[in-house]
Amino acid sequence: MSDELLRVGKLGKRFGGFVALDNVSLTVRAGERLGLIGPNGSGKTTLINCITGALFNDQGTIHFDGRDVTLLPPFQRARAGMARTFQIPRPFRSMTVLENLQVPLEYAARGPSGRRAVDEALEVLEVIGLRERAQEDSARLTQIDMRKLELARAMAAKPRLLISDEAMAGLSSNEVDDVLGILRRLNDTGITIIMIEHIMHAVMRFSERVICLDAGQIICEGTPQSIVQDAGVQRAYLGA
Amino acid sequence: MKPVAFWGALAAVLAAGLALTSVVANEYYYNALYVILQATMMAVAWNILGGFTGYVNFGSAGFFAIGAYTTVALNKALGLPLPLLILAGGAVGGLVGLGLGYLTLRLKGVYFAIATLAMAIVVETLVNNWSYVGGAKGSYMLTPEKHLWFDSYIQMLFVVMLLLTLSAVAVSRALSSSRLGRGLAAIRDDEVAAECAGVPTLRLKLVSTTVMGAMMGIAGAPFPYFVTYVEPGSAFSLFIAVNAIAMPMIGGTAHWLGPVIGALLVGTTQEIVKVTVSSEMNVLIVGVMLVVFITLAPQGIVGVARKYLRRRAA
């Protein structure tokens, strides 16, 4: 279990004078379920953007599966096995739901093209519960279905590390349970998962380990139980 | 469209074009058809970058003129035959497309569009000052004596243009339904999400600008033989650039058929108006059609048809 999949070393990112990430270091083991929490604006999404390459970090290094990916463009990180969802869904709006999944299947997973790619995409849609929406325009989905599509598209990339950025916001508690179940099963097949979430009970139930960010720094790290009792975390959230 | 239907339709159009040359002798028709086909090819080429990939190019006339002037220069220097000149026009157009793509990789939206316009102006200035190809005075092209088994040279040029245009349509269709085409569409829809789905956006953009440039260069290569007198004003005509944008917009940019429909509709209207009303009305017509379509049917004719079909299916 000591296989290290992701190592972030002393990561720094500024936007002008604003320090979004300050000296953030963390490691994620292969097969781990890591929760990432923190108040709004604490740098969670910026951290994900730097890890996946959507933003380039100013300082520090990122290693994925023993390989330095700090300077790699996002598509190569995706091909190496990183997939993510976007907090605000970003579907390929001109495509159907099915075609949305064909893109990561054909590019990130370098899977088969044509008929077999369609079959694989349909399998993923089945798991996520969008099977009957396969031929619909992705732009016409409801917000909730768009969130599911985000997750489905990340799954279609056949990642080794899946980063879920608030995939459950706005979902009903039944749907949250469904999504947790899906992520749990993905994890059972060996996929490492980093979950950013505001729905506390979901993170706490799902994660083996939780990291809390505040103002661009890691303020606490530990088991879910120890996190909720941490004074720093309570201060960050409640301002007490 | 099913592959059988598509290739059947292409073969039928080619056969009809060949049949025409043995039935109709009046050269006017070949002139008019050549102009329409040239516009169709430009529209199809524009759409590969503008429609499939979502990058608007205002410099189409520059690529067209690059093809035309490649022909002028190589004809004068080496006296190459037409097929080789067409290949050369495509090669030079493709290289310039690659260069443009490379220099503008980080530009998006309106900034990219302005860069393409600037490129066309730079090339026009160069040609204006390049005396070997006639500079601003322009240069004459002698129509070759030989025209295969056709009755006249313009008949042969028409068939050549028909073949080139059909090939461009076939390339465009193959592209749109392929893995590559899905990658381009992903770039158009959301570049960051495309990268995160593993799409090498920079590389695909270069492929797109190169194919677009090559196709436009090919469309321009036979032009000197068609007009017999080329000068920068006609080769870099704003009209060419405007048509290349307007026709796909009117036909619909998302589908390979869009620019073809738009070009046939607008091009034919222009040619009819040119002889029945006035040759100056052309530009006005494109302008009016463009305004009407952008306000009433921004998805173009193909978009309207799709919406209608979907409503009927539902």
Side-chain angles (χ1 to χ4, degrees):
Chain A
M1 281 296 279
S2 65
D3 301 359
E4 169 184 294
L5 185 65
L6 178 73
R7 191 177 71 226
V8 173
K10 296 185 175 167
L11 205 68
K13 177 73 190 173
R14 288 167 159 273
F15 296 107
F18 176 73
V19 181
L21 291 176
D22 182 17
N23 213 11
V24 172
S25 298
L26 60 91
T27 56
V28 184
R29 284 178 289 107
E32 196 179 2
R33 298 189 301 276
L34 176 72
L36 191 57
I37 62 170
N40 287 327
S42 58
K44 303 183 295 293
T45 298
T46 304
L47 176 60
I48 295 320
N49 281 339
C50 288
I51 291 173
T52 56
L55 287 173
F56 281 106
N57 46 298
D58 304 325
Q59 284 143 23
T61 54
I62 301 158
H63 284 79
F64 185 68
D65 198 20
R67 178 172 163 214
D68 187 348
V69 298
T70 314
L71 295 174
L72 286 188
F75 85 91
Q76 283 182 10
R77 302 188 200 194
R79 287 177 175 186
M82 282 189 200
R84 66 171 293 179
T85 69
F86 289 95
Q87 192 178 358
I88 298 161
R90 303 175 79 155
F92 300 129
R93 307 187 77 87
S94 72
M95 303 184 198
T96 63
V97 170
L98 183 71
E99 287 166 339
N100 261 273
L101 267 60
Q102 278 175 272
V103 175
L105 269 171
E106 289 173 340
Y107 281 95
R110 310 250 204 165
S113 211
R115 190 65 238 168
R116 279 183 49 214
V118 170
D119 289 342
E120 285 191 32
L122 287 173
E123 275 169 38
V124 176
L125 287 176
E126 182 77 55
V127 172
I128 209 89
L130 283 176
R131 180 72 162 76
E132 60 279 16
R133 301 236 180 284
Q135 297 302 336
E136 263 180 52
D137 282 346
S138 60
R140 295 154 73 98
L141 291 180
T142 62
Q143 271 298 311
I144 289 169
D145 282 347
M146 275 195 195
R147 287 190 183 280
K148 291 183 180 170
L149 175 60
E150 278 292 324
L151 198 53
R153 199 169 59 183
M155 285 159 64
K158 296 188 186 153
R160 303 173 59 201
L161 169 66
L162 192 154
I163 305 174
S164 154
D165 192 355
E166 296 202 27
M168 291 175 239
L171 266 56
S172 73
S173 65
N174 277 342
E175 286 168 326
V176 168
D177 288 344
D178 286 349
V179 172
L180 281 179
I182 291 164
L183 290 176
R184 198 56 195 256
R185 278 192 301 270
L186 285 176
N187 182 245
D188 287 342
T189 65
I191 297 173
T192 310
I193 290 173
I194 298 180
M195 178 195 283
I196 299 181
E197 202 53 67
H198 271 305
I199 304 174
M200 237 2 121
H201 71 92
V203 196
M204 293 306 163
R205 228 169 73 201
F206 181 78
S207 311
E208 294 168 308
R209 183 162 66 104
V210 175
I211 287 178
C212 180
L213 273 179
D214 185 34
Q217 291 178 314
I218 293 178
I219 57 166
C220 183
E221 179 179 347
T223 61
Q225 294 80 2
S226 69
I227 286 283
V228 282
Q229 283 152 14
D230 185 89
V233 175
Q234 288 175 3
R235 201 160 45 241
Y237 269 91
L238 302 173
Chain B
M1 200 183 273
K2 293 245 159 54
V4 183
F6 175 76
W7 292 107
L10 284 200
V13 171
L14 184 60
L18 284 170
L20 192 71
T21 58
S22 54
V23 181
V24 178
N26 186 343
E27 291 200 352
Y28 162 74
Y29 292 105
Y30 299 106
N31 272 297
L33 286 171
Y34 182 93
V35 171
I36 295 171
L37 287 171
Q38 175 186 293
T40 309
M41 189 158 174
M42 289 296 289
V44 168
W46 184 90
N47 200 50
I48 286 173
L49 186 65
F52 294 169
T53 325
Y55 277 74
V56 171
N57 168 18
F58 281 142
S60 307
F63 287 100
F64 178 83
I66 283 166
Y69 273 98
T70 303
T71 291
V72 174
L74 287 180
N75 180 57
K76 190 170 171 188
L78 306 167
L80 296 181
L82 187 59
L84 287 181
L85 291 173
I86 289 171
L87 283 179
V92 179
L95 276 177
V96 175
L98 181 67
L100 174 80
Y102 196 76
L103 291 175
T104 58
L105 279 178
R106 312 223 168 272
L107 299 184
K108 291 193 171 66
V110 70
Y111 300 101
F112 178 83
I114 291 170
T116 60
L117 189 60
M119 182 236 39
I121 292 169
V122 168
V123 178
E124 184 172 0
T125 310
L126 288 175
V127 169
N128 259 318
N129 291 288
W130 188 18
S131 55
Y132 185 74
V133 292
K137 290 201 310 288
S139 71
Y140 285 95
M141 291 286 287
L142 291 178
T143 307
E145 295 290 324
K146 288 182 205 144
H147 33 75
L148 302 176
W149 63 88
F150 297 101
D151 296 336
S152 64
Y153 197 75
I154 181 68
Q155 281 193 7
M156 191 193 79
L157 267 190
F158 156 70
V159 172
V160 166
M161 203 38 147
L162 183 60
L163 265 175
L164 293 177
T165 307
L166 293 177
S167 313
V169 171
V171 168
S172 162
R173 176 178 171 275
L175 205 61
S176 73
S177 57
S178 68
R179 172 179 183 270
L180 180 59
R182 256 190 298 284
L184 297 180
I187 292 175
R188 175 190 60 207
D189 287 350
D190 192 321
E191 217 158 315
V192 174
E195 273 275 333
C196 289
V199 178
T201 58
L202 298 185
R203 197 185 310 155
L204 259 53
K205 271 191 277 182
L206 289 181
V207 171
S208 187
T209 55
T210 307
V211 172
M212 182 270 307
M215 235 182 231
M216 288 188 176
I218 289 173
F223 183 69
Y225 286 109
F226 175 68
V227 285
T228 66
Y229 167 66
V230 205
E231 43 96 26
S234 65
F236 288 93
S237 162
L238 179 67
F239 194 56
I240 293 174
V242 170
N243 262 345
I245 298 174
M247 288 167 170
M249 298 285 241
I250 289 169
T253 54
H255 197 268
W256 62 268
L257 199 53
V260 180
I261 292 176
L264 292 181
L265 179 72
V266 180
T268 311
T269 315
Q270 282 171 351
E271 287 308 305
I272 292 172
V273 169
K274 203 194 271 182
V275 286
T276 54
V277 188
S278 111
S279 58
E280 299 301 317
M281 285 279 283
N282 276 342
V283 195
L284 189 64
I285 291 185
V286 203
V288 170
M289 284 174 111
L290 194 55
V291 170
V292 168
F293 270 92
I294 282 178
T295 45
L296 296 180
Q299 309 292 317
I301 296 171
V302 170
V304 173
R306 271 185 172 174
K307 210 179 274 177
Y308 175 73
L309 288 176
R310 191 178 294 143
R311 205 171 297 157
R312 269 193 32 178

